Amino acid sequence: MRDAYYSPLVVQTAVDLANTLRPIKGEDALETVEQLRDFLDDHPAAEPPSSAADQGAGPRHLTRADLAEVRALRATVREVLERANADAVEAAALINDGLRRSGATPVLRHEGDRWWTEVTSDTDRWSAHLAATTLSALASVIATLGPARLGVCAGPTCRATFVDLSRNGSKQYCTRTCAHRASVAAFRSRRSPR
């Protein structure tokens, strides 16, 4: 994965991982090894560098242990996204602990005349690589744009997380759909007789 230091693809992978759990709806999209395989297939940024040689073969040897590790990582990523705006120091501690546990290692790479930093794990475990890439991407967003760019949807019936990479940094909702619902609800509230 290129430009892992601040890649919107990796940031989106972190958000998508956190949002595989929908606490208000009681939905969990990471209950089985097959669901984990589908998630990893849909997120090429989650693929360890050694698997890149497989030319898109996707994860083949996933176990229940891999699922448990990724679910634990999801809890950490979700907690970082939920806490960063209110308690950036705690969010940083969660990121640092997760990076240590994953064996994250920064690596300087180059191709032609282009250089970039990539954070990888010192193991071939999917969960360790996913932790190294997603947590380092969130750390980069906090360091470059600030902790207020990580958040939870303001929609009253939604707890989806987001990272705001926009220029003005004013995002409050996970999607336009949630923003539209809130806008319609506010309009109806103003128009209703009291």
Side-chain angles (χ1 to χ4, degrees), residues 10 20 24-25 43 45 51 62 68 70 85 96 117 123 130 136 140 143 168 175 185 190:
V10 180
T20 60
I24 289 181
K25 294 181 179 181
H43 295 84
S51 296
L62 295 171
V70 171
N85 196 8
N96 291 335
T117 303
T123 74
L130 188 59
S136 66
S140 179
N168 69 5
T175 63
R190 287 190 304 269

Side-chain angles (χ1 to χ4, degrees), residues 104-119:
T105 305
V107 178
L108 184 60
R109 305 237 189 244
H110 79 281
E111 183 175 296
D113 60 349
R114 186 167 172 256
W115 291 84
W116 70 93
T117 303
E118 180 176 88
V119 177

Side-chain angles (χ1 to χ4, degrees), residues 49-64:
S50 62
S51 296
D54 296 341
Q55 298 177 0
R60 295 188 183 179
H61 304 300
L62 295 171
T63 65
R64 299 277 310 159

Side-chain angles (χ1 to χ4, degrees), residues 81 83-86 88 141-142 145-152 162-164 169-172:
L81 290 164
R83 287 184 174 217
N85 196 8
V141 170
I142 290 172
L145 299 175
R149 296 299 187 103
L150 282 64
V152 177
F162 64 84
V163 173
D164 185 357
S170 62
K171 187 172 185 173
Q172 296 178 21

Side-chain angles (χ1 to χ4, degrees), residues 4-37:
Y5 186 67
Y6 185 77
S7 168
L9 274 177
V10 180
V11 171
Q12 190 59 51
T13 297
V15 170
D16 290 348
L17 177 63
N19 289 336
T20 60
L21 179 65
R22 298 293 185 147
I24 289 181
K25 294 181 179 181
E27 298 172 354
D28 186 347
L30 274 184
E31 292 182 321
T32 67
V33 172
E34 290 74 26
Q35 287 174 318
L36 173 58
R37 184 173 288 112

